[in-house]
Amino acid sequence: RMVQEHGRKTMEEQSHERVMEMGKRIREAKSVGELTRMVQEHGFGFSANNVSNAFDMLARVHQRKAGDSRSDDEWADDFDAVSEAVDLLSKRGSVTVRKLTPQGMCSIADALVRLEAKPQHEFVGAISQQALRSMPFFATKHLANYPFALARLGVTPSKDWLSALVNHVGMQLHDFKAMDLSKLLFSLAKFQFVPHPEIRTTLLTRVEATCGQLSAFEASKVFWSLGLLKIVPPPKVLSA
């Protein structure tokens, strides 16, 4: 039995080493093509962390090329490579979705925004379901960033999902920073989801406490969001 346990630990250690080594290779990738080949050859063995890191790195290397002067054919090839990598990563991500961390979920959603990729609705739906299960463990930045990415992707969660989000926001609202609050309000406005009265009151109190940290442009976005949600701020919030 001791030999079996030792063997199992060794296998677990070897698996961890493979995941770490793959993570290093992902972070060192220099092109979309290199990442695509890596996903093609090794994606079936990617951990949840590998998947989220690969999405993030794919967006990074793709954006690095954005300023390049390339022919239409080269841009088309790059777009095709990105689409293939997103498709392959989405399939692997659907298998590992239950092991995603809150940051991993946000990284994938944000990467899809930066890639301007058409997301697989089944995959995004699976991440959102996992996000719903994991919301008790979300920090304020996750409660702001994940719905913000969904809003920018044009994906609207269900009413039940949004109700759960707002309830968890209510429990942590006093910790929200100004920028996170701005992202949250923008998302709710895009989803056309008006929080219940108690949360609306608390939101306005937090806006009053933090709006001094925002630029004039960001503050205008906050009030645009409030207007779209038909939440009228009291004079003291406007003066702040």
Side-chain angles (χ1 to χ4, degrees):
R1 183 179 176 181
M2 289 179 65
V3 171
Q4 287 177 338
E5 289 181 354
H6 176 72
R8 183 164 57 250
K9 288 179 183 178
T10 302
M11 286 169 53
E12 289 171 357
E13 289 168 358
Q14 289 175 345
S15 176
H16 177 71
E17 287 174 2
R18 284 195 298 271
V19 167
M20 296 299 289
E21 176 60 27
M22 188 55 63
K24 182 173 181 290
R25 290 181 60 187
I26 290 168
R27 290 191 298 273
E28 292 174 349
K30 297 292 190 292
S31 69
V32 171
E34 185 181 349
L35 270 167
T36 303
R37 287 190 296 274
M38 202 181 302
V39 177
Q40 288 172 330
E41 295 171 12
H42 306 288
F44 64 90
F46 275 20
S47 68
N49 194 46
N50 288 156
V51 170
S52 61
N53 285 341
F55 266 110
D56 179 63
M57 189 53 64
L58 185 65
R60 288 171 185 263
V61 296
H62 180 60
Q63 286 181 316
R64 264 183 227 147
K65 301 292 184 181
D68 289 0
S69 55
R70 291 185 286 175
S71 68
D72 290 343
D73 286 343
E74 287 174 319
W75 275 110
D77 289 344
D78 187 68
F79 179 79
D80 288 344
V82 167
S83 297
E84 182 179 1
V86 167
D87 185 57
L88 291 169
L89 282 171
S90 297
K91 288 176 181 175
R92 179 57 187 169
S94 296
V95 176
T96 62
V97 69
R98 283 184 172 268
K99 294 185 179 180
L100 281 172
T101 64
Q103 185 56 48
M105 298 175 216
C106 292
S107 293
I108 291 174
D110 180 65
L112 288 170
V113 172
R114 288 182 284 147
L115 287 164
E116 299 179 353
K118 185 178 179 181
Q120 291 188 359
H121 289 291
E122 296 83 1
F123 179 48
V124 175
I127 297 176
S128 294
Q129 284 304 308
Q130 182 59 24
L132 181 60
R133 288 188 286 266
S134 302
M135 268 185 204
F137 309 102
F138 271 30
T140 53
K141 64 178 182 179
H142 305 131
L143 291 169
N145 289 339
Y146 187 73
F148 184 62
L150 289 184
R152 294 170 71 197
L153 284 170
V155 176
T156 301
S158 68
K159 298 293 186 188
D160 287 344
W161 194 97
L162 289 168
S163 295
L165 171 70
V166 167
N167 287 337
H168 285 288
V169 165
M171 290 185 278
Q172 298 191 51
L173 200 49
H174 61 284
D175 292 326
F176 266 72
K177 295 179 181 178
M179 190 59 71
D180 290 338
L181 195 57
S182 173
K183 289 178 179 178
L184 174 69
L185 286 169
F186 173 86
S187 306
L188 294 177
K190 279 291 202 179
F191 301 144
Q192 298 182 7
F193 184 83
V194 181
H196 53 79
E198 184 180 346
I199 292 293
R200 290 205 298 270
T201 301
T202 313
L203 275 170
L204 288 173
T205 301
R206 193 61 188 159
V207 168
E208 180 186 4
T210 62
C211 66
Q213 302 166 21
L214 293 171
S215 66
F217 175 70
E218 289 297 335
S220 69
K221 281 173 59 179
V222 166
F223 287 108
W224 173 86
S225 300
L226 290 173
L228 213 61
L229 291 168
K230 295 182 172 56
I231 299 176
V232 181
K236 62 179 181 180
V237 173
L238 291 171
S239 62

